[in-house]
């Protein structure tokens, strides 16, 4: 890839930095993208996937780091947006030495990037990274960390769903409401548990049939097909697996009234999809607005906050979501645009304060 192409990709969303690490001796090919550090040091997950090309890996890092910037801003956190990707198969290529070498790479960034968990990495990987750098968040409780962040991620989405239900129906009770959760990994399962605790009628799907049936039986939910889970006549479609399931092909088939889930980058072909959602009267709850629970947990860990403060920050996602809906109505804009405007305004305001 030519340097001009990389700079063009960075300039599209005003990214500040893009760092590369190549260590053939341990098999490490890593990229760290830093989008914006106006609010504080960049934080982001470490994602390890067998990308088909270096360009695909770079684009993923740039896209995710920008989302973290908005996520941190809307959640009121003093953190910036970053992301790390390691090119490789997380099942066969990962090792202690590779993760520790990545930790040395993070240490060399002098605190400008804080590493956490993402697709393809675990808390054990974070422990290896932590052996080489203190710039880590999401460590297990046995190491004075915040522990499993997935329950906090689910709780943020749960509050976002309640805010959307309130917007459409006048009260936020979930009793009897129909919710389809697509993807019941750790976050999805926690969300199913919370929804069922409030007597919502929950439909579950997953790419792994065994996982789907296990979660359905455990929480008395109804198993459905993964590929068509967005086509049900329901109140809420909650994508909690891969991104891009909300796109120009799927929106015309949707019969849900609300989209609110934990998956990152849910929208494909954003501008076209957002307009289609508006035309079909589907209330979209931006992912970077409501899936900030894990990030909030990491922030609490870094600041030394207790569980009470963490819960308070996550509960504020409900209020922030209501604020986005209000702004969207006042300005007659989409909820996606309203969320972006609020995030950018806080960053702009803090930039003035720093100057």
């Amino acid at each position: 890839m030519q340097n001009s192409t990389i700079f063009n990709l960075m300039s599209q969303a005003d990214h500040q930095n893009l760092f590369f690490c190549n260590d053939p001796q341990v098999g490490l090919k890593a990229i760290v993208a830093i989008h914006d550090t106006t609010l504080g040091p960049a934080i982001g997950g470490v994602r390890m996937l067998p990308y088909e090309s270096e360009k695909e890996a770079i684009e993923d890092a740039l896209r995710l780091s920008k989302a973290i910037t908005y996520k941190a801003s809307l959640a009121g956190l003093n953190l910036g947006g970053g992301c790390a990707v390691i090119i490789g198969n997380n099942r066969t290529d990962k090792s202690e030495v590779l993760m520790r070498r990545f930790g040395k790479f993070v240490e060399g960034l002098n605190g400008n990037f804080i590493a956490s968990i993402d697709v393809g990495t675990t808390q054990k990987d974070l422990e290896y990274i932590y052996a080489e750098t203190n710039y880590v968040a999401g460590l297990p409780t046995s190491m004075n960390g915040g522990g499993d962040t997935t329950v906090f991620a689910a709780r943020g989405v749960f509050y976002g769903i309640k805010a959307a239900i309130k917007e459409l129906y006048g009260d936020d009770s979930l009793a009897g409401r129909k919710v389809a959760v697509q993807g019941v990994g750790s976050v999805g399962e926690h969300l199913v548990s919370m929804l069922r605790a409030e007597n919502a009628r929950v439909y579950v799907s997953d790419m792994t049939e065994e996982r789907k049936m296990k979660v359905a039986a455990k929480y008395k939910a109804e198993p459905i097909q993964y590929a068509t889970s967005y086509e049900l006549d329901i109140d809420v479609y909650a994508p909690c697996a891969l991104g891009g399931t909300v796109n120009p092909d799927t929106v015309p088939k949707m019969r849900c009234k609300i989209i609110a889930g934990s998956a990152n980058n849910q929208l494909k072909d954003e501008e076209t999809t957002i307009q289609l959602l508006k035309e079909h009267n589907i209330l979209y709850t931006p992912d970077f607005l409501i899936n900030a629970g894990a990030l909030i947990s990491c922030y609490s860990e870094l600041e030394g906050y207790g569980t009470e403060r963490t819960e308070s920050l996550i509960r504020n996602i409900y209020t922030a979501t209501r604020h986005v809906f209000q702004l969207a109505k006042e300005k007659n804009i989409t909820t996606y645009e309203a969320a972006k405007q609020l995030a950018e305004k806080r960053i702009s305001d803090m930039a003035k304060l720093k100057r």
Side-chain angles (χ1 to χ4, degrees):
M1 184 184 296
Q2 296 178 351
N3 285 341
S4 60
T5 306
I6 293 175
F7 286 122
N8 286 339
L9 287 171
M10 290 178 66
S11 66
Q12 288 171 16
D14 297 324
H15 279 79
Q16 291 179 358
N17 300 103
L18 196 59
F19 300 101
F20 296 85
C21 178
N22 179 43
D23 190 333
Q25 286 190 314
V26 300
L28 179 65
K29 285 186 176 182
I31 302 163
V32 169
I34 295 179
H35 177 247
D36 190 289
T37 56
T38 303
L39 300 178
I43 189 170
V46 181
R47 175 170 288 200
M48 185 170 183
L49 291 171
Y51 292 96
E52 291 185 5
S53 67
E54 292 173 7
K55 183 174 185 289
E56 183 187 23
I58 291 170
E59 287 176 341
D60 203 24
L62 293 174
R63 183 170 58 248
L64 289 164
S65 59
K66 179 182 176 182
I68 295 292
T69 295
Y70 286 159
K71 194 179 295 189
S73 179
L74 288 167
L77 310 181
N78 297 319
L79 291 170
C83 177
V85 298
I86 297 174
I87 301 173
N89 188 314
N90 57 68
R91 294 186 179 183
T92 58
D93 299 335
K94 196 161 54 174
S95 65
E96 177 183 354
V97 68
L98 182 130
M99 299 313 296
R100 291 186 65 165
R101 177 62 184 88
F102 177 76
K104 291 179 72 69
F105 174 39
V106 171
E107 177 67 17
L109 300 180
N110 299 315
N112 287 308
F113 176 72
I114 300 166
S116 188
I117 294 173
D118 203 331
V119 177
T121 55
T122 65
Q123 282 195 326
K124 186 62 179 176
D125 297 324
L126 280 190
E127 291 180 39
Y128 290 142
I129 296 169
Y130 187 60
E132 305 297 334
T133 182
N134 289 325
Y135 301 118
V136 174
L139 290 165
T141 53
S142 60
M143 299 178 70
N144 296 318
D148 182 13
T149 61
T150 58
V151 65
F152 299 112
R155 193 165 292 149
V157 175
F158 175 74
Y159 286 129
I161 289 173
K162 286 181 75 70
I165 291 289
K166 170 77 172 176
E167 180 69 15
L168 282 193
Y169 301 113
D171 70 78
D172 60 16
S173 172
L174 294 174
R177 299 296 177 194
K178 297 177 182 179
V179 184
V181 180
Q182 185 193 53
V184 285
S186 296
V187 177
E189 181 178 348
H190 284 308
L191 180 59
V192 170
S193 175
M194 294 171 193
L195 293 167
R196 289 294 294 128
E198 289 216 358
N199 295 315
R201 185 173 176 181
V202 180
Y203 304 84
V204 298
S205 66
D206 197 270
M207 286 186 287
T208 305
E209 184 74 10
E210 182 183 356
R211 177 75 183 169
K212 175 182 76 174
M213 298 308 295
K214 182 180 178 181
V215 171
K218 183 176 180 180
Y219 299 100
K220 294 182 173 61
E222 299 180 43
I224 57 173
Q225 291 298 313
Y226 181 86
T228 57
S229 52
Y230 56 82
E231 295 182 15
L232 288 181
D233 186 5
I234 50 175
D235 295 292
V236 183
Y237 166 58
C240 296
L242 300 175
T245 65
V246 184
N247 57 61
D249 293 327
T250 60
V251 172
K253 301 174 187 176
M254 289 182 172
R255 294 193 289 164
C256 61
K257 298 175 179 63
I258 295 164
I259 296 174
S262 67
N264 288 308
N265 303 315
Q266 293 167 17
L267 305 181
K268 190 175 181 181
D269 194 357
E270 290 176 359
E271 290 186 11
T272 302
T273 302
I274 281 293
Q275 289 307 314
L276 279 172
L277 288 171
K278 190 173 184 180
E279 290 170 15
H280 285 77
N281 294 315
I282 298 174
L283 180 62
Y284 176 62
T285 311
D287 50 73
F288 57 86
L289 169 64
I290 68 170
N291 70 359
L295 180 62
I296 290 170
S297 174
C298 289
Y299 180 68
S300 291
E301 179 181 326
L302 293 168
E303 295 296 314
Y305 293 151
T307 54
E308 191 174 321
R309 177 58 176 157
T310 304
E311 175 61 28
S312 174
L313 287 169
I314 293 175
R315 199 162 45 239
N316 189 59
I317 288 174
Y318 180 96
T319 305
T321 304
R322 297 282 296 141
H323 191 189
V324 165
F325 293 154
Q326 181 183 355
L327 182 65
K329 283 194 294 188
E330 287 176 357
K331 291 193 170 185
N332 192 29
I333 56 177
T334 65
T335 53
Y336 180 78
E337 189 59 38
K340 282 179 61 179
Q341 285 187 14
L342 286 171
E344 289 167 359
K345 184 179 186 305
R346 179 168 181 253
I347 293 168
S348 175
D349 287 346
M350 292 304 106
K352 294 174 187 175
L353 182 66
K354 287 190 174 184
R355 284 198 296 269

